[in-house]
Amino acid sequence: MGDPVGNGKANGCHNTNGQRMEDLKIAIIGQSNFAAEVLELLLERDHLVVGVFTIADKGNREDVLATTARQHRIPVFKFPAWRRKGVPIPEVLEKYRSVGANLNVLPFCSQFIPMEVIDGASYGSICYHPSILPLHRGASAIAWTLIDGDERAGFTIFWADDGLDTGPILLQKQCPVYSDDTLDTLYKRFLYPEGVTAMGEAVDMIAAGTAPKIPQTEIGASYDPALFREENQYLNLNRRALDIFNFIRGLDSVPGALAIIETEDGAEVPVRLFGASLSARRSLANGKPIHFKGAPGEAYVTKEGIFINGTDDQLVKVKRLKRGNKMIQASQWFEQVDAKPIPLELTEKEQEVETTLRSIWKSILKVEIEGETDFFACGAGSMDVVRLVEEVKDTLEVPVSNETLFMAPAYGEFLQVIVTLLRRADGNREQGIDGDRSGPTFATTTFKHVLLKANKREIRVPTQLFINGHFVDAECGKTLPIVNPSTEQVLCEVAAASKNDVNAAIESADEAFRTVWCASVSARERGQLMYRLADLMEQHKEELATIEAIDSGAVYTLALKTHVGMSIDAWRYYAGWADKIEGTTIPVSPAKPNHVLTFTKREPIGVCALITPWNYPLMMLSWKMAACIAAGNTVVIKPAQVCPLTALKFAELTVRAGFPPGVINVVTGTGSLAGQALADHPLVRKLGFTGSTPIGKRIMTSCAESNIKKCSMELGGKSPLVIFADCDLEKAVRLGMSSVFFNKGENCIAAGRLFVEDRIHDEFVRKVIKGIRTMKIGDPLDRATAHGPQNHLAHLQKLQEYCGIGVKEGATLVYGGRRVPNMKGLFFEPTIFTDVEDHMYIAQEESFGPIMVISKFHASDFDALVARANNTEYGLASGVFTKDLQKAMRFAEKVEAGTVFVNTYNKTDVAAPFGGFKQSGFGKDLGKEALNEYLKTKCVTIEY
């Protein structure tokens, strides 16, 4: 058991004046990190440690004190016991005496040390005790400090005698007990770090001959029952709420307050309670009753936890329960009780998994692994948890976390979790969910869906609401038809959310924000989830583009590149921002002689609602949501009523990516009901909207009247595009056509009005007509198609009315202006109007379709031209084509638009901010600026 004697330290100590202190030969008797740090501190202070005595190895795992001593070549002795039947073991005494110690230091010792050892050192023995002696003598002192509701905690270093913590006091230190303190917080904040330092101070005092021996008074003395005995761990529920709370937090670390739940069938289920707090709640209307044995009334299970009534009618909230060896969320008590574990009849493949998992556990714990082997009972620490989780993820490709182990610390339970995850992943593959194992799987793989057979693919798309990580039916099973604009045939029925459905989604997002999203997921982990989601979107981009083509009429090639491609870019771009959101320090004038530090924090807002349009279903979702999530918010999104399918497929991918339930929710349905419910809800603190200006005004009113929620608006546009005669005409024609006809004109920044210099007007029009005639109109899945169907019938009819007004007011219809004849589907001809005067309806109002509106101008009056371009209530985008840099820069300075394109158009990038002025709205999508829409700034000022 002993190592060869050796020590790299000097054989003596010196005081701060450089004078020689009396030599000490120290034996350290104890265990744990606490004792190891005391050893390190004594060596740093140049004390001589002649031997370390600690507990026997657990399997092949030795205590950290022994490991630390070996590193310093200090003799190590490991005894399972010092006494046998109350009598010192002779060979143990002999080994202790062999080191010749004259001072025993017991920083943390769980063994009974014989008085022959305590008195065997000429300078005696000093012990660390976690209480302010003589209060709370005994082994459970820290716990009783909390149980008794003491206002002060502390520790004592005393001279050991033959009593129970009754020896003379050497030194004491104290700290306040806060209302949210537990065993762990007291230990980490004060008892551990200050205790280690104090042990060093005590040894210094002994070496200097200044250590006092203050007899303990019996005034205020107490000896409390040992809480390692189970009979002392039972919680008395017939007490005030404060007393119940104190008892639970007093046992919060180990072993947990013990209580009995009496089930409806008469069974008695022992549980241990953790994570208690006094609650200000007074109403438990949504709670489900549960009865604890010995309690005067019912407790209630809610989504927040279990609420226990004290005799004073105050409430104690409990967050976690331990049933057997398994920790569960208290809020999930009934789900856990009703859950039926999957029988572990392992397949041949699963037996290989079990062999691998067992070897990982064994390599970490250094013990033989049985089903009941408890990871933490074997002495594992925080770094062991990290190692296990990472090895399991890397080796078995299973999405586990630290929480997985905390909830299933026994090997058999942990194995069951792993097998369950693997079986669900296999079930996902059988259900057409491809079996990605990069994140949690669905609680059920039987969600309702439509099977789209198109583009040489079979794509399974959910058709239910997505709330709290699950696909669920709308209230009363209400649905809406989804129409394929290419065929005008109903694709499927999708859930139509009610106000109650929207409320449930918002409450789910709020709960996720206040718990797991803010408390458990770091900014960097948030970014990693976003990268993982982007990777999954990349893997499924052909499916997503196909859905966009079928559901919204987008040309497949365009959908692949822009609708989906730019969506992926947005998630990756904002994933990089997630851990780079910073505040600033601000120089302010202090009130001398004091100093002042003022800094800002950038914090997430909370629950954000997003309402997106039908022209770019997935891209608009991604532009807004990626910035929202990167900033640390949770979200409820209502996609467009007429084309929600990519949003629902996206929801499925978020589960695979590992997003916790409630962080992302999708409610499909009508704007008047579901959208309005989002705008009205008081828990929603930010609303992002893209759509028409009239609807934007209504939403802003609701945001103001509900709770003055922050909002950002990307609304209508009538973007001017000015083409000077000195331009590259071929490029101007090509990009001018794109500015109008891109995405069949359903483009928020489409050039709503072209100003073409009179010298090139006619030639420009001829070239555009020629270009239109080469455009293939038809099936958006056909790779040769350049122009697909309009999104829905009401929009097609609006375009027909728009063209009728243009003709009636005197504009010249040069081309198109009608539905494509003899073709099934919502196809509208690319259209050109010329001779458009500024007062005309089509010069002022947005068509949001493939309609080119052209006006002439004379280049002699530049300011008049700019005034005409600005003569609209919209200010989203603009463009100019010219080789004259001065003209281009003057135009860019004077035009009232959020985006200015020079010799290009439609060239957006996820890093460039996007948003308009005037009645085109306010706030930005994309770029760093978009993060501001989903953050709040807090200013902190500290005087010192």
Side-chain angles (χ1 to χ4, degrees):
M1 289 189 181
D3 279 350
V5 176
N7 189 291
K9 300 294 180 181
N11 291 329
C13 320
H14 295 77
N15 64 21
T16 55
N17 297 318
Q19 297 175 329
R20 182 88 174 170
M21 294 188 290
E22 188 170 354
D23 288 348
L24 292 179
K25 297 179 180 178
I26 300 169
I28 293 183
I29 305 172
Q31 65 197 78
S32 82
N33 286 309
F34 185 90
E37 288 200 27
V38 169
L39 169 61
E40 295 273 14
L41 181 63
L42 295 181
L43 295 177
E44 288 173 10
R45 295 189 178 199
D46 214 24
H47 291 296
L48 174 63
V49 178
V50 295
V52 163
F53 299 84
T54 187
I55 58 176
D57 293 350
K58 294 180 179 180
N60 295 323
R61 190 181 184 89
E62 70 176 3
D63 187 80
V64 65
L65 175 61
T67 303
T68 305
R70 290 182 188 281
Q71 292 170 353
H72 292 280
R73 302 187 64 218
I74 298 171
V76 177
F77 302 87
K78 302 174 185 177
F79 303 141
W82 291 70
R83 301 187 301 178
R84 186 179 297 118
K85 296 182 179 180
V87 178
I89 301 172
E91 54 268 31
V92 170
L93 283 180
E94 181 181 350
K95 289 177 179 177
Y96 164 74
R97 290 168 179 158
S98 70
V99 302
N102 56 21
L103 175 67
N104 295 325
V105 175
L106 285 70
F108 181 81
C109 184
S110 63
Q111 297 173 306
F112 289 99
I113 309 302
M115 288 308 300
E116 288 83 350
V117 173
I118 295 295
D119 294 335
S122 58
Y123 288 106
S125 301
I126 60 171
C127 296
Y128 169 91
H129 195 271
S131 78
I132 308 170
L133 290 175
L135 185 63
H136 302 310
R137 293 170 176 165
S140 304
I142 312 175
W144 284 103
T145 296
L146 292 170
I147 292 171
D148 282 0
D150 294 355
E151 293 184 356
R152 308 286 299 175
F155 59 82
T156 303
I157 297 173
F158 70 98
W159 299 91
D161 65 1
D162 59 354
L164 293 167
D165 311 332
T166 58
I169 294 169
L170 195 159
L171 64 82
Q172 288 183 329
K173 292 191 177 182
Q174 299 183 24
C175 72
V177 177
Y178 301 132
S179 58
D180 58 349
D181 267 326
T182 64
L183 283 173
D184 282 345
T185 61
L186 271 178
Y187 188 61
K188 292 175 182 177
R189 185 180 84 243
F190 183 79
L191 298 176
Y192 186 115
E194 293 297 326
V196 170
T197 302
M199 289 299 285
E201 293 173 5
V203 173
D204 285 348
M205 293 167 68
I206 294 169
T210 60
K213 291 187 176 181
I214 304 168
Q216 291 191 39
T217 175
E218 289 303 309
I219 298 174
S222 68
Y223 184 80
D224 300 304
L227 292 173
F228 56 77
R229 301 183 188 280
E230 186 173 289
E231 63 267 22
N232 297 327
Q233 298 165 7
Y234 280 91
L235 172 62
N236 179 3
L237 290 161
N238 195 20
R239 306 177 70 188
R240 296 181 306 158
L242 178 62
D243 297 327
I244 295 171
F245 162 69
N246 282 335
F247 192 86
I248 295 173
R249 70 171 175 155
L251 281 75
D252 194 79
S253 180
V254 175
L258 190 55
I260 305 293
I261 293 177
E262 295 179 328
T263 63
E264 292 181 356
D265 59 6
E268 295 188 352
V269 182
V271 294
R272 295 190 180 275
L273 312 181
F274 299 89
S277 60
L278 286 174
S279 176
R281 285 275 300 268
R282 292 295 174 264
S283 172
L284 296 171
N286 296 324
K288 189 172 181 180
I290 186 175
H291 187 71
F292 285 93
K293 185 176 182 179
E298 299 291 342
Y300 291 88
V301 180
T302 76
K303 66 179 182 179
E304 297 177 46
I306 292 180
F307 287 85
I308 299 172
N309 261 306
T311 54
D312 54 357
D313 290 328
Q314 304 296 304
L315 291 171
V316 177
K317 180 173 72 175
V318 176
K319 288 186 177 180
R320 297 181 300 280
L321 300 178
K322 192 172 186 180
R323 181 181 183 182
N325 289 326
K326 186 175 183 181
M327 189 80 75
I328 63 174
Q329 297 295 334
S331 60
Q332 298 176 358
W333 167 256
F334 289 107
E335 291 88 336
Q336 294 288 339
V337 168
D338 297 336
K340 296 179 180 179
I342 300 174
L344 281 183
E345 297 178 5
L346 303 182
T347 65
E348 184 176 340
K349 181 179 178 181
E350 289 169 347
Q351 288 172 359
E352 294 175 4
V353 169
E354 194 277 334
T355 301
T356 301
L357 187 63
R358 185 182 294 270
S359 68
I360 294 173
W361 275 59
K362 186 174 181 179
S363 68
I364 296 172
L365 298 180
K366 304 294 192 297
V367 298
E368 293 301 319
I369 306 300
E370 306 294 339
E372 63 276 9
T373 300
D374 188 291
F375 194 79
F376 299 104
C378 291
S382 58
M383 290 306 298
D384 298 312
V385 174
V386 173
R387 178 182 167 188
L388 175 66
V389 168
E390 292 306 312
E391 285 196 33
V392 170
K393 286 198 295 189
D394 291 344
T395 307
L396 299 178
E397 299 181 13
V398 179
V400 295
S401 64
N402 294 7
E403 189 76 8
T404 308
L405 181 61
F406 295 145
M407 293 299 181
Y411 175 74
E413 293 177 343
F414 192 80
L415 172 63
Q416 182 160 334
V417 171
I418 299 301
V419 171
T420 300
L421 289 171
L422 290 173
R423 289 180 180 180
R424 284 179 179 171
D426 291 339
N428 283 349
R429 281 195 297 276
E430 292 170 6
Q431 292 290 331
I433 309 179
D434 301 334
D436 295 303
R437 292 181 185 166
S438 51
T441 53
F442 294 107
T444 173
T445 58
T446 57
F447 57 82
K448 293 178 182 177
H449 61 272
V450 59
L451 189 63
L452 301 180
K453 297 181 179 180
N455 207 15
K456 299 179 181 178
R457 297 174 179 276
E458 289 189 359
I459 307 169
R460 192 178 301 266
V461 183
T463 56
Q464 297 169 288
L465 309 176
F466 183 68
I467 299 175
N468 200 30
H470 298 271
F471 286 107
V472 296
D473 284 334
E475 187 177 41
C476 302
K478 290 184 178 179
T479 60
L480 289 169
I482 303 301
V483 175
N484 182 340
S486 296
T487 64
E488 299 182 74
Q489 299 297 309
V490 173
L491 283 169
C492 60
E493 296 281 335
V494 166
S498 68
K499 183 177 179 179
N500 288 336
D501 293 323
V502 173
N503 290 345
I506 294 169
E507 289 172 2
S508 168
D510 181 61
E511 176 73 10
F513 177 76
R514 291 185 295 102
T515 55
V516 62
W517 197 231
C518 286
S520 302
V521 180
S522 69
R524 189 155 298 169
E525 290 169 331
R526 192 162 66 238
Q528 290 168 349
L529 286 171
M530 294 173 70
Y531 278 123
R532 196 177 302 154
L533 175 59
D535 290 343
L536 285 170
M537 293 171 72
E538 182 87 46
Q539 293 170 25
H540 296 270
K541 63 183 179 182
E542 289 85 1
E543 291 185 7
L544 293 168
T546 302
I547 298 170
E548 290 279 79
I550 296 172
D551 194 21
S552 73
V555 172
Y556 175 76
T557 52
L558 175 64
L560 197 61
K561 179 179 183 294
T562 301
H563 289 234
V564 179
M566 202 168 183
S567 297
I568 296 168
D569 288 346
W571 284 98
R572 286 184 175 144
Y573 173 79
Y574 285 108
W577 271 113
D579 61 353
K580 300 172 186 67
I581 297 170
E582 302 170 341
T584 58
T585 56
I586 304 170
V588 297
S589 299
K592 295 180 180 180
N594 290 342
H595 301 278
V596 171
L597 170 65
T598 296
F599 62 91
T600 60
K601 297 180 65 182
R602 303 285 279 148
E603 298 179 345
I605 293 172
V607 178
C608 296
L610 305 177
I611 302 175
T612 51
W614 41 260
N615 57 329
Y616 294 102
L618 183 63
M619 194 175 79
M620 290 293 98
L621 174 153
S622 298
W623 280 19
K624 295 184 184 300
M625 194 187 295
C628 176
I629 293 295
N633 303 285
T634 55
V635 66
V636 180
I637 186 168
K638 193 205 85 64
Q641 172 182 336
V642 292
C643 49
L645 296 185
T646 43
L648 293 172
K649 189 65 177 179
F650 168 86
E652 179 189 320
L653 297 181
T654 67
V655 177
R656 295 195 211 153
F659 281 84
V663 172
I664 294 173
N665 304 270
V666 181
V667 289
T668 52
T670 64
S672 59
L673 201 161
Q676 190 64 48
L678 287 171
D680 290 339
H681 204 289
L683 283 179
V684 174
R685 292 297 175 183
K686 162 66 199 285
L687 191 146
F689 173 75
T690 294
S692 71
T693 297
I695 298 299
K697 290 178 180 180
R698 287 169 52 188
I699 288 176
M700 283 187 67
T701 300
S702 298
C703 288
E705 291 177 346
S706 57
N707 59 349
I708 315 185
K709 57 174 59 71
K710 184 177 182 180
C711 57
S712 54
M713 299 279 157
E714 199 254 278
L715 306 175
K718 190 65 177 174
S719 302
L721 173 58
V722 176
I723 301 174
F724 286 96
D726 63 354
C727 70
D728 178 337
L729 186 58
E730 295 299 326
K731 183 178 182 182
V733 169
R734 175 169 51 84
L735 293 179
M737 290 179 64
S738 175
S739 75
V740 176
F741 304 132
F742 187 82
N743 199 49
K744 9 94 177 204
E746 296 169 354
N747 188 24
C748 51
I749 59 171
R753 189 177 179 194
L754 275 65
F755 294 89
V756 181
E757 190 172 345
D758 50 10
R759 289 191 295 155
I760 61 168
H761 175 274
D762 294 347
E763 185 179 1
F764 179 86
V765 173
R766 282 195 302 271
K767 288 180 177 291
V768 170
I769 293 171
K770 180 180 177 181
I772 290 175
R773 286 174 173 156
T774 65
M775 293 170 58
K776 180 176 180 179
I777 302 174
D779 182 2
L781 291 173
D782 185 336
R783 304 312 192 256
T785 295
H787 190 79
Q790 304 309 135
N791 186 274
H792 52 282
L793 180 60
H795 180 55
L796 180 91
Q797 293 169 341
K798 175 190 169 186
L799 295 180
Q800 291 172 317
E801 293 172 5
Y802 187 93
C803 291
I805 294 172
V807 171
K808 185 176 179 179
E809 288 189 333
T812 302
L813 178 60
V814 175
Y815 192 94
R818 60 177 182 168
R819 185 170 182 170
V820 176
N822 305 317
M823 181 179 286
K824 187 177 182 180
L826 305 177
F827 294 93
F828 192 81
E829 290 182 337
T831 298
I832 303 173
F833 276 101
T834 61
D835 302 317
V836 178
E837 301 296 332
D838 293 356
H839 67 275
M840 292 180 178
Y841 176 84
I842 63 173
Q844 294 292 322
E845 296 299 326
E846 179 181 29
S847 70
F848 212 64
I851 301 173
M852 183 178 284
V853 176
I854 303 175
S855 299
K856 290 181 185 179
F857 74 92
H858 193 277
S860 61
D861 193 342
F862 183 86
D863 291 337
L865 170 66
V866 173
R868 292 179 70 191
N870 288 334
N871 185 27
T872 171
E873 273 301 299
Y874 301 109
L876 188 56
S878 62
V880 59
F881 280 83
T882 177
K883 292 178 181 177
D884 186 333
L885 182 59
Q886 185 181 40
K887 276 194 293 191
M889 292 303 296
R890 287 175 63 200
F891 178 82
E893 289 171 4
K894 293 181 177 295
V895 72
E896 297 169 350
T899 297
V900 183
F901 297 111
V902 178
N903 293 327
T904 188
Y905 208 88
N906 281 329
K907 198 170 186 65
T908 54
D909 188 272
V910 293
F914 180 92
F917 304 153
K918 299 189 288 188
Q919 290 197 38
S920 286
F922 54 88
K924 297 294 182 184
D925 288 325
L926 303 182
K928 180 181 178 181
E929 283 195 42
L931 293 168
N932 296 332
E933 306 301 328
Y934 301 97
L935 291 166
K936 58 189 179 187
T937 300
K938 179 181 289 181
C939 181
V940 181
T941 297
I942 303 170
E943 186 171 275
Y944 60 98

